[in-house]
Amino acid sequence: MGKRTIVSLPGDGIGAIVLSEAIRVLEATGFNADYIEGDIGWKFWRKEGNPLPERTINLLAEHKIGLFGAITSKPKDEAADELDAELQQKGLVYSSPIVGLRQHFNMDICIRPCKTYPGNPLNFIRRGKDGTIEEPIIDVAIFRQNTEGLYGGVEWSDPPGQVHEALMTHPKFRKNFGRVPANDISVSTRIFTRKATRRILQAAFGHARKYGYKSVTVCEKPNVIRETSGMMFKMAKEIQQDEYPEIELWNTNIDAQMMWLTKNPEDYNVIVAGNMFGDIVSDAFAGLIGGLGFACSAQFSADGVALFEPTHGSAPKYAGYDISIVNPIAMIESACMMLDYLGEEERSGRIRNAVSVVVKEGKVRTYDMMKLTGSQDVLNKGASSTKEMTDAIISKL
Ligand code: NAI
Ligand code: MG
């Protein structure tokens, strides 16, 4: 394979720290790549009034593959106050650069795998028969529609006249809300399109087939949210029957799925959901396999732009430490997803194997794995640093 070009987007806080650790691991596998750094995040908001400069979008448009750390976001007013003096009072409004990237490139597919590393002290355990302790092995990949639904941004408080009129044409609106003054109403819509729904379902089934999983579960609420959830499940049935007969199609409701989460999480394989329920179910499963130090993700567009990132944010309170204490595994796992995507599965397999050996040995553990509260002092309490964790993983490659 020739040399790859990867756009590295360190961002803010610990994002930059864990990204450079992940690149160390990639390099240790002999993965042949140039990393071009893209400007993104708080620094660029303050200096340029734009956390996602055009040049960064262009870089990603050109090279297609991004490895992203994390950014800091702050509420609108606070953000405006932190702008450099010459940018103040210009009416600049902060918006999240991750959401900006997702929208610009229409990265509509989000994958969040959640897989247990045996020996991780953060693993979910439950009481079995006769008081035994069971540690189920969870191996779930959540496919979340990333651009539509409840996070699509089509919403109003005090909806304008035309919108209100349109809503009044719906008998249920008229009956339940018809007499409420418009300025006492907020509306957030949940729009699903067939095209995007098909894409997320196809991606989920395709993943199940590629990796030999036996089931795909649609996790929505079609019995109540009949139109959107209902459409997704109906389309899932068609796709399963026509194209993936060897894969079982399951249907769970998001609320019940949360209740069953701790009962039988090992029974699920691929889960697919709309934007918000996908967000919920992926955080929930991530909690069972170690939380933010372990949760990785990828986002894809139809035209080949892919972004790989840990689920965690920039954790500013841990960013300024002389010796970093945060867990680099979520970022390293995200880099593995990138390798899979690039067909470099031999290397990603080696990295995951090295992580699993380190986790199982239990000699090197970051503070989160020791259930300590983060502080510089955790290193005196036996926690390993970010760099020690990376070194340990590299030593097992
Ligand atoms: P966060 O994910 O940055 O941190 C929350 C807590 O999780 C930390 O205080 C720490 O205890 C733990 N944690 C996070 N990453 C860890 C790691 N690698 N190893 C060990 N422990 C880890 O979320 P928070 O504090 O709510 O947000 C901080 C900033 O990050 C905010 O400005 C927020 O807007 C932004 N953010 C950015 C995201 C992104 O870039 N994708 C996602 C979430 C938040
Ligand atoms: Mg979430």
Side-chain angles (χ1 to χ4, degrees):
M1 193 67 239
K3 201 170 197 179
R4 304 277 187 177
T5 303
I6 310 293
V7 180
S8 74
L9 300 161
D12 303 306
I14 67 162
I17 296 169
V18 293
L19 178 57
S20 67
E21 297 296 298
I23 291 176
R24 269 204 311 131
V25 176
L26 288 170
E27 285 177 343
T29 68
F31 176 61
N32 192 12
D34 284 326
Y35 298 90
I36 306 186
E37 190 168 315
D39 297 337
I40 190 167
W42 203 246
K43 194 162 73 186
F44 302 95
W45 163 250
R46 297 189 63 180
K47 238 177 20 193
E48 303 176 24
N50 183 0
L52 178 60
E54 193 66 32
R55 57 186 181 279
T56 305
I57 290 181
N58 293 340
L59 264 185
L60 208 55
E62 183 181 351
H63 301 293
K64 309 270 191 203
I65 312 281
L67 199 52
F68 176 54
I71 49 93
T72 296
S73 270
K74 295 187 188 179
K76 256 198 266 181
D77 295 343
E78 217 176 305
D81 287 345
E82 289 198 28
L83 281 170
D84 280 0
E86 65 272 20
L87 295 172
Q88 299 266 345
Q89 319 299 325
K90 287 199 167 169
L92 294 167
V93 180
Y94 179 82
S95 67
S96 158
I98 312 189
V99 177
L101 278 177
R102 189 178 300 159
Q103 285 169 349
H104 182 89
F105 291 107
N106 192 21
M107 289 190 278
D108 62 335
I109 291 177
C110 173
I111 312 181
R112 293 193 184 175
C114 296
K115 197 165 176 171
T116 304
Y117 279 115
N120 183 354
L122 300 174
N123 285 344
F124 165 68
I125 54 172
R126 72 181 165 222
R127 208 189 299 275
K129 269 194 200 130
D130 310 321
T132 52
I133 297 293
E134 298 173 349
E135 189 172 317
I137 299 292
I138 295 152
D139 182 2
V140 162
I142 291 111
F143 282 69
R144 163 187 171 194
Q145 206 297 324
N146 214 20
T147 47
E148 304 190 334
L150 210 43
Y151 297 171
V154 182
E155 46 185 2
W156 301 269
S157 285
D158 189 3
Q162 278 180 317
V163 174
H164 193 262
E165 264 168 48
L167 289 169
M168 285 294 262
T169 66
H170 196 290
K172 285 206 172 124
F173 184 89
R174 216 166 41 239
K175 175 160 177 277
N176 297 323
F177 309 106
R179 263 176 273 198
V180 183
N183 62 6
D184 274 346
I185 294 177
S186 291
V187 182
S188 301
T189 64
R190 188 176 201 262
I191 300 172
F192 282 28
T193 62
R194 291 183 68 81
K195 183 175 171 200
T197 304
R198 177 173 301 284
R199 265 180 52 77
I200 193 73
L201 290 167
Q202 292 276 12
F205 278 105
H207 187 86
R209 176 174 284 166
K210 180 170 176 193
Y211 293 103
Y213 290 112
K214 85 166 195 263
S215 70
V216 168
T217 302
V218 175
C219 179
E220 281 279 324
K221 185 96 180 172
N223 54 335
V224 177
I225 315 175
R226 293 176 187 276
E227 301 306 326
T228 46
S229 294
M231 179 178 86
M232 180 177 263
F233 187 62
K234 186 160 173 276
M235 289 177 74
K237 262 202 260 182
E238 289 162 8
I239 291 172
Q240 186 264 343
Q241 280 164 9
D242 295 349
E243 298 169 56
Y244 296 92
E246 84 279 15
I247 293 166
E248 292 173 25
L249 172 63
W250 299 355
N251 178 22
T252 61
N253 287 340
I254 178 70
D255 50 341
Q257 180 78 66
M258 292 300 98
M259 192 172 61
W260 295 329
L261 188 70
T262 52
K263 195 175 165 215
N264 63 342
E266 69 271 42
D267 289 351
Y268 299 93
N269 304 145
V270 174
I271 295 181
V272 58
N275 210 337
M276 186 174 88
F277 296 162
D279 197 10
I280 293 171
V281 74
S282 58
D283 272 15
F285 272 95
L288 304 180
I289 58 112
L292 288 177
F294 289 84
C296 56
S297 77
Q299 305 180 51
F300 304 95
S301 76
D303 54 3
V305 175
L307 197 60
F308 302 87
E309 59 177 303
T311 302
H312 64 72
S314 61
K317 60 184 174 192
Y318 303 140
Y321 285 13
D322 291 335
I323 300 175
S324 172
I325 61 164
V326 296
N327 191 345
I329 291 178
M331 181 78 236
I332 292 169
E333 280 283 330
S334 307
C336 286
M337 293 183 80
M338 178 185 80
L339 290 174
D340 290 345
Y341 179 77
L342 295 172
E344 295 272 1
E345 277 152 329
E346 185 271 331
R347 287 182 222 280
S348 55
R350 272 164 59 208
I351 297 172
R352 291 192 180 105
N353 191 51
V355 173
S356 77
V357 173
V358 171
V359 171
K360 190 172 244 161
E361 277 183 359
K363 286 190 248 165
V364 178
R365 284 177 174 169
T366 45
Y367 82 95
D368 53 319
M369 298 173 73
M370 299 185 67
K371 307 185 188 192
L372 295 169
T373 303
S375 77
Q376 191 75 87
D377 196 42
V378 297
L379 301 176
N380 301 322
K381 295 180 179 159
S384 302
S385 68
T386 308
K387 181 172 178 301
E388 284 166 338
M389 176 55 89
T390 313
D391 289 342
I393 293 166
I394 290 173
S395 77
K396 305 291 184 191
L397 286 173

